[in-house]
Amino acid sequence: MLHYASGTPANDDFQVVENQLARQRLFSVHPNYAKPVARWLDDLRQGIFSFGDQMARTPSLSGKLARADRRMREELVERGLDPETWVPYEDALRALSERLGPGYPRRIMLDSGAFTDWRGGRRSDVETVIRSYADFLHRSAGLFDEIYLINLDVIPGAPAKEGEKQKEPSDAEIAEAIAQSDVNFAKLKAEFDVPVLPVFHQRESWDRLREVVEMGDGYICLSPDNGLPQKEREDWTLFHNTAAEAHGVRCHGLATTGNRMMHLAGLYSGDSTAWKTHSGNGRIDVRWDAPRSVDQFASRPLTPFYRPTHVAIERNEFDGKRALPNHKDHLSELACHEQEHVRRRAERYLPFPMVQLDRRTMSIVSLGEIQSVAEDRHELAA
């Protein structure tokens, strides 16, 4: 499965190596995210394809990174660790960039931002989406090999209030949403030469899938319902992907980068923000190519697969020789050979002390590892 790394670009010191690592990106064109996406495009238009390019354009970055190095060495001292183990940011980022080689994601998918508006109690306007898509296409002319636009699909019903369970939309609400989605699709198709992908949602009918397949020109989106159990979402995706494939149609799964989803559902491509969100909890995702003994009591995992490991060096009441004791995902709870495996995988990207202290570094590791697992057998994977 091609892995489209979704999420708004940070445009920070790590952005260029993130670009070199990611082969596909998915961006929302919602107005809340327009400025960072535009800045990301501007950097590509200026030819910033490696860390060396970034340093040549912004020489002052060297001093900024040196100051960050001092702060990180102080952090290590505060935690009773050797500050000499710290590898300077500039050295680490340059080494990763040189290993990866100049580049950036060449396949792009754009999302309308309908979910962002829906969650805020609003409905997206198709004319606004058209302007946003047109602006991206204008700014990106000649940069990418493939660009796909996701239809402005209308989400039926109202979002759940905080702490409440999502109310299931009525048949009338679903029918109204489908009709408006089709109107939006027709407008987008009339406006753009690049492919527009219609969306088929869980809970929609078999007849609706046939309509979406006919609309899709060989490529559609499947949208499992995140409010349902994971197994139910996986089974639904597998069944409907198989049905679409029987008609010669490829499927992109929206928010579908769980291990079983990636390997069993048969999707051509999929996306999620998992590579970014897991780092917020101090975790990295790590590739494994053989089942771990601790997993043998449950169903045997597919291989390769990724698994989160908590690696952050925390400054809280859990600190000590065994940080976060009894945390089943913490590095210190693993067998010695498994700890070494986690360290080796992380250091394929950046030095391990940096991975333990810097959440942004964690996201880089997770991006590489999830992408590696997702694209392990994909014909387009490098």
Side-chain angles (χ1 to χ4, degrees):
M1 183 185 85
L2 286 182
H3 175 255
Y4 279 78
S6 58
T8 308
N11 295 316
D12 58 3
D13 306 333
F14 288 84
Q15 187 64 63
V16 69
V17 294
E18 177 187 296
N19 290 348
Q20 291 176 261
L21 184 60
R23 287 191 279 271
Q24 294 81 219
R25 285 301 308 262
L26 184 149
F27 296 127
S28 169
V29 299
H30 190 277
N32 290 358
Y33 316 123
K35 287 184 178 179
V37 171
R39 181 181 167 189
W40 183 83
L41 280 173
D42 288 343
D43 281 355
L44 296 187
R45 294 224 67 88
Q46 293 171 24
I48 310 302
F49 302 146
S50 71
F51 185 71
D53 296 334
Q54 188 177 17
M55 292 297 295
R57 183 190 62 176
T58 314
S60 61
L61 179 58
S62 184
K64 176 186 175 183
L65 293 175
R67 292 190 293 273
D69 290 333
R70 288 195 291 272
R71 290 195 299 272
M72 288 297 146
R73 290 190 183 99
E74 290 170 1
E75 293 275 351
L76 288 170
V77 170
E78 289 177 10
R79 287 157 172 73
L81 301 171
D82 183 3
E84 296 304 313
T85 60
W86 183 258
V87 177
Y89 276 111
E90 184 172 342
D91 295 348
L93 291 172
R94 188 182 301 278
L96 175 58
S97 179
E98 289 176 353
R99 287 201 304 275
L100 293 170
Y104 59 91
R106 303 307 293 260
R107 290 182 285 267
I108 300 293
M109 203 169 279
L110 300 182
D111 179 68
S112 66
F115 182 75
T116 301
D117 276 339
W118 177 78
R119 192 169 48 187
R122 300 178 298 275
R123 178 172 287 191
S124 301
D125 172 63
V126 68
E127 300 304 328
T128 300
V129 173
I130 287 173
R131 287 193 296 272
S132 298
Y133 280 166
D135 181 65
F136 185 98
L137 293 173
H138 174 72
R139 288 174 177 268
S140 65
L143 282 174
F144 304 112
D145 297 334
E146 299 174 10
I147 299 180
Y148 301 97
L149 310 178
I150 300 176
N151 184 35
L152 171 53
D153 55 316
V154 177
I155 304 171
K161 295 180 181 178
E162 188 174 353
E164 294 183 3
K165 186 178 180 181
Q166 178 66 44
K167 182 181 178 181
E168 193 168 325
S170 67
D171 290 344
E173 288 175 321
I174 293 174
E176 179 190 0
I178 287 174
Q180 186 58 55
S181 296
D182 288 354
V183 170
N184 295 341
F185 181 79
K187 289 183 177 180
L188 291 169
K189 284 283 287 185
E191 190 72 30
F192 299 109
D193 294 329
V194 300
V196 180
L197 308 186
V199 183
F200 178 68
H201 300 87
Q202 195 160 355
R203 301 182 192 275
E204 291 179 348
S205 70
W206 184 253
D207 286 340
R208 178 57 181 169
L209 177 62
R210 282 196 285 265
E211 292 174 354
V212 170
V213 164
E214 290 175 3
M215 295 161 62
D217 195 25
Y219 200 8
I220 67 173
C221 291
L222 297 181
S223 181
D225 188 334
N226 287 329
L228 296 176
Q230 179 68 13
K231 180 67 164 56
E232 190 171 338
R233 297 171 68 244
E234 292 167 354
D235 290 346
W236 178 87
T237 304
L238 169 61
F239 181 80
H240 290 87
N241 180 76
T242 302
E245 279 190 330
H247 291 83
V249 173
R250 300 179 304 180
C251 293
H252 176 90
L254 298 171
T256 53
T257 57
N259 282 298
R260 291 176 60 82
M261 186 73 84
M262 290 194 298
H263 285 302
L264 294 183
L267 294 164
Y268 178 81
S269 60
D271 71 86
S272 83
T273 58
W275 65 280
K276 296 187 74 172
T277 57
H278 291 178
S279 64
N281 297 319
R283 299 184 298 172
I284 60 172
D285 293 299
V286 177
R287 173 173 172 150
W288 299 80
D289 287 282
R292 298 173 60 244
S293 58
V294 72
D295 293 319
Q296 295 307 298
F297 298 103
S299 60
R300 180 175 177 174
L302 299 164
T303 53
F305 67 102
Y306 70 88
R307 186 175 186 274
T309 300
H310 192 287
V311 296
I313 303 173
E314 307 288 358
R315 187 187 342 190
N316 56 32
E317 66 272 25
F318 296 109
D319 275 349
K321 292 182 180 179
R322 289 173 61 81
L324 295 178
N326 301 320
H327 190 303
K328 66 182 179 65
D329 290 332
H330 194 268
L331 181 68
S332 63
E333 297 298 316
L334 302 182
C336 290
H337 71 279
E338 293 177 332
Q339 292 185 32
E340 183 58 31
H341 173 79
V342 170
R343 182 184 292 269
R344 282 198 310 269
R345 294 298 305 186
E347 290 186 336
R348 289 164 56 91
Y349 307 92
L350 292 159
F352 199 62
M354 189 176 291
V355 174
Q356 291 188 285
L357 286 176
D358 191 312
R359 294 295 201 271
R360 190 68 171 93
T361 304
M362 294 177 196
S363 73
I364 296 295
V365 173
S366 293
L367 169 60
E369 294 294 270
I370 293 176
Q371 181 172 269
S372 170
V373 171
E375 301 185 4
D376 187 65
R377 299 179 183 90
H378 203 290
E379 67 270 23
L380 292 183

